[in-house]
Amino acid sequence: QSALTQPRSVSGSPGQSVTISCTGTSSDVGGYNYVSWYQQHPGKGPKLIIYDVSKRPSGVPDRFSGSKSGNTASLTISGLQAEDESDYYCSSYAGTYTFVVFGGGTKLTVL
Amino acid sequence: QVQLQESGPGLVKPSETLSLTCAVSGYSISSGYSWGWIRQPPGRGLEWIATISHSGSTYYNPSLKSRVTISVDTSKNQFSLKVSSVTVADTAVYYCARRSDGAYSDYWGQGTLVTVSS
């Protein structure tokens, strides 16, 4: 069982928006502004799409946005495109002992 | 452009030690950042294994700490992972990655599948 809880799957039609939640505790998501999100296509390595809760690396479209409220972080993808169909993982810093925790992953289907 | 490349045996026998190396190009490990390993069992999610800072401080997943060692070789600009007493549960794709201060990994290797089987 993963430390952070994500929905197993979400779906949306092209052009719509979807939000993926990531729920942790005050020891990880709620305690630090160090939540990151990764996109992983089948057979590929993870790609960083959001870091420090809401920052986007260079080259990531602004359709991807991140936020946090309390112990829950969220990834919102607006203007869904076919190529957004992928697995998405959240991650959080969790202190100097546990250090890094991941969510179990969410499969996004573009209908 | 920073690039990371994992290497090591694709098949390890139960009870033996898994050893992997990550070669880094486009950036000097000794210059900064931290470096780590993450794994993904087939069909499952990501699991953080260990991280080492450019100064040599190490951090381990508590659930794996007793079996894992991470080290760095600045002369070869690479870092390594050892997992001892492996079982079939250690079968996974192993990724190496660069970690920034915010605990996110911005550059990843392509991953290498390690199968534990007799």
Side-chain angles (χ1 to χ4, degrees), chain A residues 38 46-48 51 57, chain B residues 2 4 33-35 97-100 103-108:
Chain A
Y38 302 88
K47 173 188 174 184
L48 178 70
Y51 67 98
Chain B
V2 180
L4 295 88
Y33 290 96
S34 295
W35 307 86
R98 187 178 83 168
R99 176 189 171 273
S100 295
Y104 60 89
S105 293
D106 54 357
Y107 289 96
W108 295 66

Side-chain angles (χ1 to χ4, degrees), chain B residues 43-117:
Chain B
R44 299 181 63 183
L46 300 168
E47 178 182 36
W48 170 68
I49 303 171
T51 296
I52 186 166
S53 72
H54 67 281
S55 61
S57 298
T58 56
Y59 307 87
Y60 295 104
N61 184 323
S63 68
L64 299 169
K65 185 174 184 178
S66 63
R67 299 192 294 124
V68 171
T69 302
I70 188 171
S71 60
V72 66
D73 185 341
T74 54
S75 66
K76 295 182 178 179
N77 212 42
Q78 63 187 32
F79 60 103
S80 300
L81 176 75
K82 292 187 186 297
V83 182
S84 64
S85 305
V86 297
T87 70
V88 294
D90 293 308
T91 294
V93 174
Y94 285 75
Y95 295 98
C96 60
R98 187 178 83 168
R99 176 189 171 273
S100 295
D101 288 342
Y104 60 89
S105 293
D106 54 357
Y107 289 96
W108 295 66
Q110 65 184 26
T112 186
L113 174 63
V114 178
T115 301
V116 179
S117 175

Side-chain angles (χ1 to χ4, degrees), chain A residues 77-92:
Chain A
I77 309 171
S78 58
L80 270 179
Q81 299 181 4
E83 58 261 36
D84 297 333
E85 186 162 292
S86 186
D87 292 326
Y88 292 86
Y89 292 90
C90 64
S91 179
S92 175

Side-chain angles (χ1 to χ4, degrees), chain A residues 7-79:
Chain A
R8 293 290 293 266
S9 64
V10 298
S11 63
S13 300
Q16 290 186 333
S17 294
V18 295
T19 296
I20 299 172
S21 62
C22 171
T23 301
T25 69
S26 58
S27 297
D28 38 63
V29 173
Y32 309 93
N33 288 321
Y34 290 143
V35 175
S36 52
W37 290 89
Y38 302 88
Q39 178 189 62
Q40 186 180 34
H41 285 115
K44 302 292 186 181
K47 173 188 174 184
L48 178 70
I49 56 172
I50 295 288
Y51 67 98
D52 293 354
V53 177
S54 60
K55 298 177 182 176
R56 279 188 313 277
S58 174
V60 174
D62 60 6
R63 303 185 294 103
F64 294 87
S65 62
S67 63
K68 190 186 83 167
S69 178
N71 297 335
T72 298
S74 299
L75 171 71
T76 298
I77 309 171
S78 58

